[in-house]
Every structure is written in C-alpha cells, then in structure tokens.
Amino acid sequence: MIYLDYQATTPLAPESRDAMLRWLDGPEGVGFGNPHSPHRYGRQAAAAVELARDQVAALFPPGGQVIFTGSATEALNIVMRGCQPVLAGRGIAVSAIEHAAVWDTARSMANAFHAIPVDDAGLIASDAPIPADVGLVAVMQVNNEIGTIQPVAEIARAAKAGGALFLCDAVQAAGRMPVAMADCIAISAHKLHGPKGIGALWFRDGIELAPLITGGGQEKGLRSGTLSPALCAGFGAAAKLAVERTEPDGQHVEALWTRALELFDGWTINGSPTARWHGNLNLRRTGLDVARLMSEVRDVAFSAGSACASGSGKPSRVLQAIGLNDKDVKTSIRLGFGRYTGMQDLESAAAAINAAARAQG
Ligand code: PLP
C-alpha cells in the first residue's frame, strides 16, 4: 500500500513513537505519573511535558505562550468561542476556504458571519476589505484541500488596523515552513508526524481568552484536564524533528512535486501551482469517475477531496470557492506526500492512477 494522503494525517515519526513509549512504560515503571502531582512521579512527568512545550514552542514566533489541547479543532474553538468577551458582539470574518473547524464554528456562533472570498487560484487578495463591525478574522496559512498559501502577514496587518483579533489555522503549515505571525495560532501533532489526540494553541502575550473547559485549572486555566505526558512527549519529539528537518524535508517535497508534474501530465491542477505547499497535489481530469478510480486503485491511499468532508457526499466547498462547477469538483482527487514518500512510491502510484483513469476513456 502506498500512502499519499499527507493532508489527512502523516505517518508517525519513529522518534515520536520512542519518546511516547518512555511515558507509557518508563524506566522503573514511573512513566504513568500525573504531571500535575507534586511527588516524584508527577514531577518527572511534568518535566517531560515542559520539555515538550519548549520543543513545540520552537515552531511558533517569539512573544507568546503555548497550551496543549486535544486537537487543533479544540484549539480553534477555544479562541473563537473564548474571545467572546473581547468580541463584545462584533462579527467574525473567515476565508471561504477555511477548514470546517473554523468555518462551521463561526457559522454556529450568534455573531454576524462574513466569508472572505478567494480568487480562482485559491488565494485571498492581500488587500481584501474586512467589514467594519468585525472583531475576529480567521485565515488559514496553508489550505488542507488545495495547499494554497495565503498572504497571512498582510491580512493580519489589515485585521489589526481594523481593531480585530487575528486567528491563524497553521495546521498544514507547521513543521513545513515558518508559521505566520498572528494573535492566536492553532496546530496539530498528527499533521507533523506526531500522535493523534493532541494539538497546541499559541497566543500572543496579553491576549485574554475565557476557558471553554473548566475544572482543575491546567494549561493556564484555559484547558482543564490531565495532560497525557506520552502524547506531549510524542508531539515535542515530532516538533523538534520538524524544526531540524525543515530544509531536507522541503527539498525532498520539491523533488517529488517536480516529478509528479511530469507523471500527471494531462491533468489540471486545482489552485495556484506556485503559492502552494508542494506536498499537496489536487488534480482534476475531465470526465473522471473518482469513486470508480478509488475502488480500482486500492493499493494507493489518496483522497477524493478533504478527508474531513469525504463521505459526506457534499461537493467540496473549497473547490466551489475557487469557481469549479459541480462536475469539475467531482472529477478531482488530492494526493499528499512528504518526508517518508519514496520517489518509487510516487511513480508506482502515478502509474496505477493514470492506467485506471485512462481505462475510463
Ligand atoms: N485545520 C486544518 C487545515 C486541517 O487540515 C485539520 C485536519 O484535517 C484541522 C484544522 C483539524 O485538526 P485536528 O485533526 O487536530 O482537529
């Protein structure tokens, strides 16, 4: 089986796995300690959590604090719902291609909702007007479906000029490129070769958020609940590796991308080919029956759209936002590759996908 679905999740790094095992078994069996306990078991676990926090913090800009959450979805919800006192009834503006964690959350809130449009390349205009009544702007750095990279720094400046808080979903960017400056930033361990079930929220010093989950007051009172030292350690090790490997991983992805463009000659790329993370290849082909393709190419794991939306039967909101009609949306596939993808894997997968697609006529 060849795995080409790096936007859905990434293979666990062996270094991350090893770091976790230490806190499941641990030397002398102390790995199970509660990091919030004052005795030796607890202090050792707390030290592991704090080391992991420093390792994860290295992914973010200076001048802020990191708390661990159960996922990026939770981190995004903490900001969007927890900033209500700051919003004071003002509206929320989000890009038209945000992940459901932001889009559906904003839609479910009582505040006025504004969608910031993207062009047919999947990019927000850097001078996109932000409505006057908006108190929170949320724009992702890298899109999970089409990989486009937004001009986040400019949008952050516009949000600030309008007196709005700026939230960036950096889930698909973190560990691959420097994370953009924002007031609040959410990331997820499993998108950077860490474990599932843990995310992080970074917020700039001075930002005030109200907790969604109350209880023992952990994570600066913002996210009560006992942390898992194993998940934190796994996240920390994955983050450390990502920082060390940003350059070689990036070069590897560029080589895969260049070869993929040759291999998928005759397909059309959805979204900008340049302002894009090159580990994301979202393609369409006239007349393609994607469900049939996926059932015929069983040895390659890839996606028919966003993994989060797949199975819903709904056409992709992101592909619609870049102007594709329903027919073109349905002929699109997403291939995602990265650190552990071999060139041979890509070539074999492309051969299988192309053969099945051509056989459809
Ligand atoms: N934001 C983006 C861009 C994503 O790709 C995802 C996951 O697919 C999420 C948010 C949600 O992350 P998590 O799985 O940690 O909740």
Side-chain angles (χ1 to χ4, degrees):
M1 189 87 187
I2 299 169
Y3 186 74
L4 291 185
D5 206 8
Y6 270 58
Q7 279 72 46
T9 195
T10 52
L12 187 67
E15 292 85 343
S16 174
R17 177 184 173 278
D18 291 349
M20 282 192 281
L21 288 180
R22 158 97 173 73
W23 295 102
L24 294 173
D25 303 332
E28 303 145 42
V30 300
F32 67 88
N34 182 331
H36 315 295
S37 296
H39 47 63
R40 185 155 64 92
Y41 288 69
R43 286 200 311 273
Q44 288 189 355
V49 168
E50 293 317 311
L51 171 66
R53 198 186 304 282
D54 289 346
Q55 290 168 326
V56 171
L59 294 169
F60 293 105
Q65 310 183 46
V66 172
I67 63 160
F68 288 116
T69 62
S71 62
T73 300
E74 187 187 322
L76 292 161
N77 269 265
I78 290 175
V79 177
M80 297 180 73
R81 298 183 193 280
C83 76
Q84 278 297 353
V86 181
L87 278 186
R90 286 178 296 163
I92 302 176
V94 313
S95 91
I97 60 170
E98 288 303 299
H99 186 275
V102 166
W103 180 268
D104 287 4
T105 304
R107 295 295 299 263
S108 74
M109 291 169 62
N111 310 63
F113 173 87
H114 305 274
I116 308 171
V118 292
D119 61 18
D120 59 6
L123 298 170
I124 298 174
S126 54
D127 57 355
I130 292 169
D133 72 318
V134 160
L136 172 68
V137 177
V139 172
M140 68 202 324
Q141 190 170 349
V142 176
N143 183 265
N144 50 302
E145 290 192 42
I146 53 174
T148 49
I149 302 174
Q150 303 304 327
V152 171
E154 284 86 347
I155 298 162
R157 267 196 289 279
K160 190 171 177 197
L165 200 66
F166 181 64
L167 164 65
C168 184
D169 170 350
V171 167
Q172 298 284 345
R176 299 184 173 126
M177 61 186 75
V179 161
M181 190 44 155
D183 293 315
C184 302
I185 306 170
I187 67 169
S188 184
H190 74 101
K191 308 286 185 173
L192 50 91
H193 306 287
K196 290 163 192 58
I198 182 160
L201 169 62
W202 178 93
F203 52 100
R204 215 158 39 74
D205 293 334
I207 300 284
E208 296 279 335
L209 297 168
L212 297 189
I213 301 174
T214 49
Q218 291 93 342
E219 297 303 89
K220 305 184 201 316
L222 262 182
R223 201 266 187 176
S224 286
T226 305
L227 287 172
S228 160
L231 291 179
C232 293
F235 193 177
K240 177 170 179 281
L241 199 60
V243 169
E244 288 164 2
R245 293 193 52 121
T246 305
E247 214 179 298
D249 282 357
Q251 285 165 359
H252 181 55
V253 163
E254 273 313 310
L256 292 166
W257 167 263
T258 304
R259 183 75 183 115
L261 294 187
E262 294 164 2
L263 295 167
F264 288 97
D265 188 30
W267 296 64
T268 304
I269 299 176
N270 292 323
S272 168
T274 47
R276 180 192 199 97
W277 169 245
H278 280 170
N280 172 305
L281 188 59
N282 194 313
L283 298 164
R284 65 180 192 273
R285 189 181 166 101
T286 309
L288 187 71
D289 178 341
V290 171
R292 191 177 140 199
L293 181 79
M294 292 182 85
S295 75
E296 286 170 358
V297 186
R298 283 179 187 271
D299 288 338
V300 183
F302 62 103
S303 171
S306 162
C308 298
S310 66
S312 68
K314 286 193 228 147
S316 155
R317 170 171 47 79
V318 172
L319 296 181
Q320 285 177 324
I322 64 170
L324 264 59
N325 58 36
D326 283 0
K327 225 161 102 190
D328 283 343
V329 168
K330 285 190 191 139
T331 62
S332 298
I333 61 170
R334 183 188 68 185
L335 308 177
F337 37 82
R339 185 187 297 164
Y340 302 112
T341 313
M343 191 61 84
Q344 181 64 54
D345 296 334
L346 183 67
E347 288 171 352
S348 304
I353 292 170
N354 277 320
R358 281 193 209 106
Q360 289 187 12

